[in-house]
Amino acid sequence: MPQPSSPFRSAPVSPLGTLAPAVGPSRPAGADRALRQGTALVTGASSGIGAAVARRLAGEGGWQLVLNGRDTTRLAHVAAQTSATVFPTNLTRPGAERQLAEFALGQDGRVDLLVACAGIGCAGDFRAMPLADIDEVVGVDLVATMRLVRHVLPPMIEAGSGRVVIIGSIAGAVGVRGEAVYSAAKAALATFADALRYELHGTGVGVSHVVPGVVSTPFFERRGVPYRRSRPRPVPPERVADAVWGAISHGRDEVYVPGWLRLPARVHGAAPALYRRLAARFG
């Protein structure tokens, strides 16, 4: 993959710390809500939700944006709209997430906000799914995100503030027919967000999990199978970006987009047998 060069601006590399407990007394609950508007790193920013989030953050002002994506042309276009610095790379490439983290940390010494939007899908019968596709979905949607969080988290903890926003999916909350691997990866992200939030309690660092339903992005054409369901209806990526900003500005742990999707997720959790009967009937 290409390395940052004109129009991509390079930056000095900062050493990464180790994940350690915060030093000093614990912060009271809610103390992580006063988030400094410093460096914000957005992955998957070349299109879709990531690009919408970048534009939303740029509209709020005060953020020094670092954008990541695989499509260098589209990424440069979004950067021009948002006055952002970019680091184009495929996060499944060995060491790519560390290089991205070091680049972002080099802007201001730390990343104050990480919005992990990078993700791909793969639809079809699991029995016929190529092993390479399974590895790629899990690598992009889950492993790369966890590795990147691991790199940017220590400076947040040391500073006593920061927020990690993970873009999940309703598929991870209820499971979707024909999307077994994608659903599994997004379900793992949801559990990761919960576990990390408990671990970071009292450090001043917050974790938000934003759970969209169907979004009008190139996601479906790239996975090779169009969206054919009558409901839920697709929402624009800007609506998800608004939800991300709401989670950031109000310190929310979990946000569903649209909000009514919380209901099937709750039914699935409280009465799984009932949910499975309904899903088998209505798809």
Side-chain angles (χ1 to χ4, degrees):
M1 296 297 293
Q3 294 303 310
S5 59
S6 180
F8 308 132
R9 178 164 62 89
S10 61
V13 173
S14 294
L16 298 171
T18 56
L19 185 57
V23 177
S26 295
R27 290 170 171 258
D32 56 1
R33 296 189 180 185
L35 182 62
R36 185 184 81 127
Q37 285 187 289
T39 299
L41 171 58
V42 183
T43 67
S46 55
S47 65
I49 294 173
V53 167
R55 290 189 289 265
R56 186 69 166 86
L57 292 174
E60 292 299 325
W63 292 102
Q64 184 174 7
L65 293 175
V66 177
L67 308 183
N68 162 257
R70 295 194 287 185
D71 189 319
T72 57
T73 301
R74 292 188 180 187
L75 192 64
H77 177 67
V78 177
Q81 294 176 323
T82 57
S83 300
T85 301
V86 300
F87 190 96
T89 189
N90 181 343
L91 290 178
T92 62
R93 189 168 54 82
E97 82 290 330
R98 182 182 181 91
Q99 293 169 3
L100 173 60
E102 290 178 337
F103 179 82
L105 289 166
Q107 307 300 304
D108 194 24
R110 78 187 215 225
V111 171
D112 301 278
L113 171 65
L114 167 63
V115 186
C117 303
I120 60 172
C122 185
D125 189 337
F126 179 73
R127 294 169 296 179
M129 190 172 294
L131 294 179
D133 289 353
I134 296 174
D135 292 344
E136 185 178 20
V137 171
V138 174
V140 173
D141 294 4
L142 177 61
V143 177
T145 295
M146 294 176 70
R147 286 178 175 271
L148 185 58
V149 172
R150 171 63 182 81
H151 287 312
V152 303
L153 200 55
M156 287 186 181
I157 295 174
E158 184 177 357
S161 70
R163 181 158 293 270
V164 173
V165 181
I166 294 173
I167 305 299
S169 170
I170 188 62
V174 300
V176 174
R177 178 187 302 164
E179 297 184 30
V181 178
Y182 178 75
S183 296
K186 290 297 186 178
L189 275 181
T191 303
F192 171 63
D194 277 341
L196 188 62
R197 190 179 302 114
Y198 303 146
E199 185 174 330
L200 296 176
H201 178 73
T203 66
V205 180
V207 179
S208 297
H209 181 217
V210 176
V211 189
V214 185
V215 186
S216 300
T217 71
F219 174 87
F220 294 100
E221 65 182 64
R222 289 174 182 167
R223 76 174 187 176
V225 178
Y227 181 73
R228 298 190 178 96
R229 298 174 185 268
S230 59
R231 61 185 63 178
R233 296 176 64 92
V235 301
E238 290 75 18
R239 187 166 175 182
V240 183
D242 288 342
V244 169
W245 178 248
I248 295 167
S249 56
H250 298 290
R252 292 173 180 151
D253 291 342
E254 189 169 66
V255 183
Y256 282 78
V257 188
W260 66 264
L261 284 177
R262 187 178 295 273
L263 177 59
R266 285 180 173 174
V267 173
H268 179 271
L274 172 62
Y275 182 87
R276 292 184 190 117
R277 288 198 296 271
L278 292 173
R281 180 175 180 182
F282 298 106

